[in-house]
Amino acid sequence: MDFIYFDYAATTPVDQRVVDAMLPFMTERFGNPNSLYALGRDAYRGLEDARERVAQAIGASRPDEIIFTGGGTEGDNAALIGIMARASDGPAHLVVSAYEHHAVLEPAHWLEKRGHAVSYLAPRADGHIHPEDLASVMRPDTKLVSVMHGNNEIGAVNDVAELARVAHEHGALMHTDAAQTLGKVPFDVDALGVDAATFSGHKIYGPKGVGVLYLRRNVKFEPMLKGGGQEFRKRSGTQNVAGAVGFAAALEIMVREMPAESERLARLRDRLILGVTTRLENTEPTAPGGERLPNIAPLLIKGVEGEAMLLQLDAQGIAVSTGSACSSGSLEPSHVLLACGVPKEVAHGSLRVSLGRFTTDADVDRFLEVFPPIVERLRAMSPVYARMFGSP
Ligand SMILES: *Cc1c(COP(=O)(O)O)cnc(C)c1O
């Protein structure tokens, strides 16, 4: 069956070149990188080579600032909990944005329950976190600011350099969740001025269950995983050598192909958004404005349920997402859209179409052919649409 994948922001297939780089480390080069004999030293060399290549790709000055993790969720948890645990003797203040991934929001809630104060900073209607707004919530006891680089639902890319400057001016450290931006927009730890950053392998055509936490040297950090002291005592556990090698290979491909690929994706994205909004009335891009990820087309299709559109598209072999609600299986509209000030009723009609390496013009054509009749059919049956706009 012709199956069209439009959910690259949820996960990506592993690139065959990445598979090829990983395979030897699952078979003949299988040693434990912490073993001292030749087989172990060989795995160690593979691991450390991967670490150096990741450091190089994100502008880290030392390889020991690269901590391999079990994915983006672990990196976010470790950054928030690990930094806050060592930032002060008693309770302190943490700032996160209100539209973070749950992997940041949940540890923030947990820290709040443990006695820390947390500010949840709302984005403006353009979908961005504004540095002036950050400045207005900073306190003398603020120890950490965590604002995502690119939002996974609406694709807004924040000015992390400016946000980091505000954080530092007030004596706080800066963490950013860059799972969505890595390899799609330039990422350099010094240019952005971040002290910590989280990345995930499966968003960059690498394997699932592997990620990187960048931790600038001298950042005080309490490891979540305690044990054998691997990863510079910051993340115990025998390293996923094949995963680390895959991450490095995936990242290098992303960086190398970024200029041409980002341009190609942005063109497809714009064609898709324009195609939908010209073919269907009462539709619009979500919280538009400012810098955007090239591969996410966030749409508001008023008076229709996102889940209904998703299932109808699935029946036609097209995979899309509604936003974050799917992860929790809840029917509440996404916290991201509500944080951006999208009214609840409108937020129900959210659809996130995300493009990637294997998306073609023909895929976009097919979507523009299949999608409008689906929406028209659903609207014809929708009391909500009739109430909002009269009969279709
Ligand atoms: C996917 C994602 C995560 C979680 O990464 P996993 O590797 O799936 O745990 C965190 N933050 C953002 C922005 C993401 O897109």
Side-chain angles (χ1 to χ4, degrees), residues 3-340:
F3 167 81
I4 302 182
Y5 187 68
F6 270 131
D7 202 13
Y8 286 89
T11 193
T12 58
V14 182
D15 190 292
Q16 186 58 48
R17 293 167 286 182
V18 173
V19 175
D20 293 344
M22 292 173 70
L23 272 176
F25 290 95
M26 293 192 253
T27 50
E28 67 268 23
R29 302 179 71 179
F30 69 90
N32 185 321
N34 310 292
S35 299
L36 295 179
Y37 44 78
L39 190 69
R41 294 197 306 271
D42 178 56
Y44 175 83
R45 270 194 299 276
L47 177 68
E48 294 312 308
D49 175 62
R51 195 186 310 283
E52 278 166 29
R53 288 156 61 196
V54 173
Q56 169 84 27
I58 64 168
S61 50
R62 292 167 31 167
D64 63 2
E65 295 176 320
I66 304 301
I67 316 295
F68 286 109
T69 65
T73 300
E74 182 188 326
D76 283 336
N77 273 263
L80 265 71
I81 295 170
I83 291 175
M84 286 304 285
R86 293 286 298 278
S88 67
D89 291 332
H93 181 228
L94 162 72
V95 181
V96 301
S97 87
Y99 71 171
E100 292 296 310
H101 193 278
H102 288 295
V104 166
L105 287 179
E106 289 304 317
H109 294 326
W110 185 82
L111 286 163
E112 200 174 8
K113 274 191 253 156
R114 307 279 296 185
H116 293 289
V118 182
S119 296
Y120 299 91
L121 188 58
R124 293 199 191 168
D126 65 1
H128 289 80
I129 302 295
H130 286 245
E132 313 85 281
D133 298 342
L134 174 60
S136 73
V137 301
M138 295 300 289
R139 307 188 337 192
D141 64 339
T142 310
K143 298 298 181 193
L144 178 65
V145 172
S146 180
V147 174
M148 68 203 314
H149 193 203
N151 182 275
N152 47 304
E153 285 185 47
I154 62 170
V157 176
N158 286 311
D159 186 351
V160 168
E162 204 45 41
L163 294 165
R165 207 184 47 72
V166 173
H168 293 153
E169 237 170 51
H170 292 81
L173 296 171
M174 181 76 196
H175 166 256
T176 192
D177 176 343
Q180 288 291 336
T181 48
L182 186 67
K184 296 183 199 117
V185 300
F187 190 98
D188 181 282
V189 293
D190 287 339
L192 295 182
V194 292
D195 304 292
T198 296
F199 313 107
S200 169
H202 74 103
K203 305 291 172 71
I204 60 169
Y205 309 88
K208 293 175 178 60
V210 62
V212 161
L213 173 62
Y214 164 77
L215 260 190
R216 194 176 287 277
R217 65 195 161 282
N218 302 333
V219 171
K220 290 202 187 94
F221 176 81
E222 178 69 25
M224 290 207 306
L225 292 186
K226 304 171 203 303
Q230 291 91 343
E231 298 296 282
F232 319 105
R233 312 198 69 80
K234 293 184 171 118
R235 201 278 187 185
S236 285
T238 302
Q239 293 91 337
N240 177 356
V241 179
V245 168
F247 187 100
L251 178 55
E252 281 178 349
I253 294 168
M254 288 295 278
V255 169
R256 195 165 60 237
E257 298 181 351
M258 176 167 24
E261 180 65 354
S262 289
E263 200 181 302
R264 187 185 77 88
L265 289 171
R267 187 182 59 75
L268 290 172
R269 173 203 60 191
D270 292 344
R271 198 158 78 72
L272 191 140
I273 293 175
L274 191 68
V276 168
T277 52
T278 52
R279 281 170 179 77
L280 288 165
E281 57 184 8
N282 300 314
T283 59
E284 62 190 38
T286 314
E291 195 188 346
R292 294 280 151 167
L293 281 165
N295 69 316
I296 295 186
L299 293 163
L300 290 175
I301 315 292
K302 294 178 188 170
V304 194
E305 280 293 329
E307 283 74 18
M309 295 186 278
L310 181 155
L311 293 175
Q312 297 273 316
L313 283 166
D314 182 41
Q316 305 276 334
I318 299 178
V320 298
S321 162
T322 56
S324 69
C326 55
S327 63
S328 54
S330 96
L331 289 178
E332 275 294 291
S334 138
H335 72 285
V336 172
L337 301 187
L338 298 181
C340 292

